[in-house]
Each structure stands twice: as structure tokens, then as C-alpha cells.
Amino acid sequence: MRTLIASTAAVAFTALAALPAAAKDMIVTVAKPDRLYVIDAAERSVETDCQLDFNLMPGVIVMSPDNSIAYILGNRWEDVFGVDLSTCETVFSAHQSEGDIRRKTIASLAVSKDGTELYTVRNPVRILADRYQVMEPEFAVYDTGAGLDAEPVRTFPSPRRVTVMAAGQNGEVYAGGHEVYAFDPETGETTVKIANASWDRPTYSPPDVLAFWPIGTQADEFLLLYSAAKFTDETQSELADFVWGYQSVDLSTGETEIADFASFEVIMFSAVRDPNDTSLLYGVYTQLSKHDLETKELIKRVDLPHTYYCINISLDGKEIYVGGTNDDIGIYDAESLERTGEILLPSGGDMAAGTMHVISTGS
């Protein structure tokens, strides 16, 4: 009988051990001077503390599709590094400058949906004895398996002023700039996906778009905020309102949206939509705001203890995380906007303009 019980217990234990780990939300972010953190959102605790071997600024992060590697724009906007979250090892690096040519990237990073390619827009200048010679921007494609001395496998001309990017399921790469562009990373063909500076809205001023935080992966979308003056008629002689709006590309279907949703009452640096109800948008800076995009109503707004640059949301849509700026991540209930927690980063260094991603681990 004891043998039977022991055998049954062993089988049960083996079966339990074979079960996949329960899925949980993890927050991935960086903090000065040299830290990459993976944080258990539910436990409010740091699970992994990676000491980086490169300058992490500006700390723009994009994740590999399987969430195993964080690709970080570092070395003062110049180089791209891939860090394995399970080992803290740097497994990819692309040093973009060479000789008398210096190349800088302004937040533009994306990874293909199959994880095999990394994309960025590089802005080169030639450093001469008495001046900088401005050169044409380049859309660069890297093989993510190229290791620590990666060179582009393809480069193409790019529009100027390109910042954040995201890869679509159809292979296109979407990028924010004067317009929202679509790049074909195989041929370099560039088209306008959403008219931005050239939009056909005669009663509006050109839009102002702050695009620096590559978030929105939970809703599988590329989302940018814009603000613009709205006039009473096409003469633009009388101001009717100053508005907030959003531009979005669905990364699964390629479908686009552009719409106003509120008057410009407060500043918002970044915004995210509820992945389970995309009619709800949350924006952050000095306040945390919750908007209904269908009714164009402000649901609620609360003051924050200080400014936060980057916002994100749990995969179930129940918690809001605000980070960047300082060394703390504020946690808010998505329904009530009540502050329910805080995570202090062990380094004590600020996150500055670093990205804060929410990823899922387990099954």
C-alpha cells in the first residue's frame, strides 16, 4: 500500500512539474546608471536585475516576439544591443558609426514578427575638420542572429525625422515621422500609411506628434497621439478648439484609424489602449487620464505625485503602470484610477525617457 501511495504521489508530482508555469505579467524597463529590470507586476518585486555593459541612454526598448530578448537603443542614441532576459547576457550588438561617419537613431527600433530581423532608421553625418556634413537617413535591416558585430544586411533611403516603429504581421514596418510611413523591408519601398503633416483636414492646423515610446503591444497596435488646432472654417481665422487625437495601425490587419477624442486640457506624453476594450485610452504626464474614444468623453483624471513619461497596462486591462522620469513605477486601478501600489527600483537611478514594456511569461 505504501509503495502504491508513494508511486501515485511521484506520478502526481511529475505531472505537476510538467505543467507550464502560470502566466504572469512582467514589467521590463531600464534605470540609471546601468540596469535592466524585469519586474513581477503582481508581486511588485524585481525578479531580474541585469547590470549592462554599455551606456543605456536613451533606453528605448523593443522586445523579441517571444519576449526573451530586450533590444535596447544605447550609447547615447548610437548603438543597438540585445540582452537575453534569462541570463543578462548581451547577445546582439550593432555599432552604427564608423570612421568619420557618426550615425544616430532617434527611438526607431522594431523587430519582425518572426524575430529574425531588427529594423532601425539611422541618421548619419560625416565629421569634417570644420563642420558636420548631413547625409541622407537610412532604413537599416539587421539579422538578429548576427551576434556582437552585426552589420546591416540591407539599407535603403528613409524619410527624415523618423522616430518610433513597429512591425506588422504582413511584413510591413510602420514608422512615425512627418507622416506615418510603411516600409517594405525587402525592397525599401516607402508609402504613406496615415497622412499626418499632409493630412486633408482644411479646418485643422498641422498636427504635433510626440512619438518616442514604442508601447501598445498588448493591443497589437502602433499608436501615436497628436494635438492640433481646430478652426471654425477653412479660413482658419477663428479657433474653435485645440484637440487631442490618436493615430493607430492595427499590426494584425494593417487597418488604420485617426480621430480626435478630447480637448487639449492637459499634456500627455504617452498613451495606451485597453487591449480588451480599445475604446478606452489612458494618457499620462502630470496627470493620469482615462478617455472613452467612442463618446469622446473624459471618464476620469487624477493628479500624480510627479510627472511620468511612459504608461503601460496589464494584459487583462485591470492595472495601469506609469514610469519613466524618476526611480519609481506607480500602479493604478484601471477602473477607478486609484493608486494601489508602487515599485521602487533598487539602483535609485531614474528611468529618464526609457521604455516600460509589459510582457507575459508562462502559459
Side-chain angles (χ1 to χ4, degrees), residues 2 18 39 45 58 94 97 138 142 164 175 207 213 219 221 232 238 240-241 258 271 298 304 332 340 347 356:
R2 287 180 180 177
I39 299 163
S45 61
S97 297
E138 310 159 321
Y142 290 92
V164 290
W213 293 272
E221 69 173 337
T232 56
E238 184 177 348
D241 197 5
I258 180 169
L298 173 67
L304 301 175
Y332 288 80
T340 58
S347 74
M356 182 179 61

Side-chain angles (χ1 to χ4, degrees), residues 208-253:
D208 183 9
V209 180
L210 175 62
F212 192 79
W213 293 272
I215 54 179
T217 52
Q218 292 93 317
D220 201 26
E221 69 173 337
F222 181 57
L223 177 73
L224 305 178
L225 290 181
Y226 69 81
S227 57
K230 185 176 181 180
F231 298 92
T232 56
D233 58 41
E234 295 184 16
T235 67
Q236 298 193 3
S237 58
E238 184 177 348
L239 184 67
D241 197 5
F242 207 83
V243 298
W244 276 113
Y246 71 96
Q247 305 168 337
S248 173
V249 182
D250 186 314
L251 298 178
S252 295
T253 66

Side-chain angles (χ1 to χ4, degrees), residues 50-100:
C50 297
Q51 185 172 12
L52 303 175
D53 55 1
F54 54 87
N55 183 302
L56 61 83
M57 289 292 101
V60 174
I61 305 170
V62 295
M63 299 300 301
S64 63
D66 63 1
N67 292 324
S68 66
I69 297 174
Y71 292 95
I72 305 171
L73 176 62
N75 280 354
R76 298 178 177 87
W77 314 84
E78 196 158 318
D79 302 323
V80 182
F81 302 89
V83 178
D84 187 319
L85 297 186
S86 65
T87 65
C88 294
E89 181 184 0
T90 300
V91 294
F92 174 90
S93 62
H95 300 276
Q96 302 195 97
S97 297
E98 58 188 355
D100 61 353

Side-chain angles (χ1 to χ4, degrees), residues 175-193:
H178 275 303
E179 320 289 357
V180 175
Y181 299 103
F183 289 91
D184 183 329
E186 292 295 328
T187 66
E189 181 183 3
T190 304
T191 56
V192 174
K193 189 68 176 179

Side-chain angles (χ1 to χ4, degrees), residues 65 111-117 119 144 169:
V111 181
S112 62
K113 288 294 189 180
D114 63 6
T116 62
E117 292 187 334
Y119 313 111
T144 57
Q169 195 66 47

Side-chain angles (χ1 to χ4, degrees), residues 99-102 124-135:
D100 61 353
I101 297 177
R102 180 179 295 162
V125 297
R126 189 180 302 277
I127 303 174
L128 303 175
D130 60 344
R131 68 191 186 280
Y132 285 168
Q133 177 188 349
V134 178
M135 303 168 70

